[in-house]
Amino acid sequence: MENLLKKTCLHDLHVELGAKMSPFGGFDMPIQYSGIIDEHNAVRRAAGVFDVSHMGEVFISGPDAERYVNHIFTNDIRTLEPGGIMYGMMLYPDGGTVDDLLVYRESEPQHYLLVVNASNIDKDYTWMLEQAKGFDVRIDNQSDAWGQIAVQGPEAEKYVCGTLGFPEAAALTFYTFLDAVRDGRRIIVSRTGYTGEDGFEIYAAPELIRNYWNLLLTAGVKPCGLGCRDTLRFEAGMPLYGDELTADISPIMAGLGMFCKLDKPEFIGKEALVEQKANGTARKLVGIELADKAVPRHGYPVELEDGFEVGVVTTGYHSISLEKSVCFALVDSAYSALGTPLWVRVRKNAFPGQVVKKRFYQTNYKK
Amino acid sequence: MSKIAEGLLYSESHEWVKVDGNVAIIGVSDFAQSEMGDITYVEMPDVDDEVEAGSDFGALESVKTSSELIAPVSGKVVARNDELEDKPEMINEDAYAAWIIKVEMSDESELDALLNAAAYAEIAK
């Protein structure tokens, strides 16, 4: 298996740093360097840099690009300005989720960049091609040509503007991006992230990304692995495809209806979502806070006091920033109201908790 | 490279045992703590509970994973390290100083099934 894993353009640098490596989304990725807690706290308090080169970049262009993207995407890109970014999903007709993704509207008319999850690149690209019949669009999967780093944390701006030499990035607000050119090559700097903190994601050719990575480490930015990427996104209430969104979990079930514009004329999966919104869904994603330190993990049962199973944990941690045990769980909708007492079975024992808001941590974005 | 303390016995599931008369002092190896990363919680049995060789007697939780603790010997729990409740990171800092429980052995011949430091070094890598 190991030799089938793909490597990002920073792979050898991770190994050199002594990172703990593990397969993720088909890539051999760094899980941690100094330790998950240390890296997590660096992002919350100062700045950290992540290798996210495994993410997929698909460029859509052509006379029908806007209409096509709006056909496969739940959010409404007609309201997106050039230089703007939108979060949303691609859905199957039954409302199940193909993937969650970012759509970048480029300055050139009818040009979009879609950034998708590493584990879904091939599936998404195939899906996009299949849905393109009748649209005059070019769908260009450039995932292998782009490296990507995420610089995240309250001090991220200082490093992106100063160390990396993009002073114009200071003017970016959350979910906007700018284009730059270095040595004749395109660079995208976007004020986005997956941590709940202010930060930037930088897309560029592999050699440039390697250069930026080294500059940031030399300047004292902490290298951060996927371990803390997950604890950070989890605390900020964000879903991970495969856990909180799947082919069986619609954005309505996951509480992400705000990213699905049901007043749009049409998009794939719209009818299913309209029906789910009107009649409710059998299960819903909730947050649960436990009274105990026991740690709820993916797949652990969620129960009522008498042991009757009403759901399952999708992601759980002893939260680093909140210092308590919390999880996301998919539960019968009858037990999804805030304050509902629920128990999570951790090995032999069921631990009491209650339904709370999914955003466990107050995010700090630049508006 | 993880450290392997001489003079202790080890299980294949990465617990160590220090024998003190008929009492087995039990912890987890440096290799185990290094594999798990930052340990955040230690689930332990109560004093006077019985533990059985090969069965779980508790668990370690790190940020990323949880791992059951498997008893290397059978017997009655005579002490547990309550300091670990507030400072589970003691296991990361020194896995051989941070003992978890002490067990009064009911069958000392079970020790024969455990590994010495040299044999354990072969599997802890």
Side-chain angles (χ1 to χ4, degrees), chain A residues 104-132:
Chain A
Y104 288 61
R105 180 172 172 188
E106 310 217 49
S107 50
E108 207 176 328
Q110 300 289 3
H111 279 65
Y112 296 88
L113 162 61
L114 276 51
V115 180
V116 304
N117 284 301
S119 53
N120 291 337
I121 294 173
D122 294 340
K123 178 187 80 176
D124 288 357
Y125 180 54
T126 304
W127 176 257
M128 290 177 202
L129 293 176
E130 286 169 1
Q131 309 313 317

Side-chain angles (χ1 to χ4, degrees), chain A residues 168-191:
Chain A
E168 63 273 38
L172 291 174
T173 53
F174 197 51
Y175 269 62
T176 64
F177 71 100
L178 61 85
D179 266 297
V181 176
R182 297 284 186 279
D183 306 330
R185 283 172 301 187
R186 181 179 183 196
I187 298 158
I188 298 167
V189 180
S190 83
R191 199 152 204 159

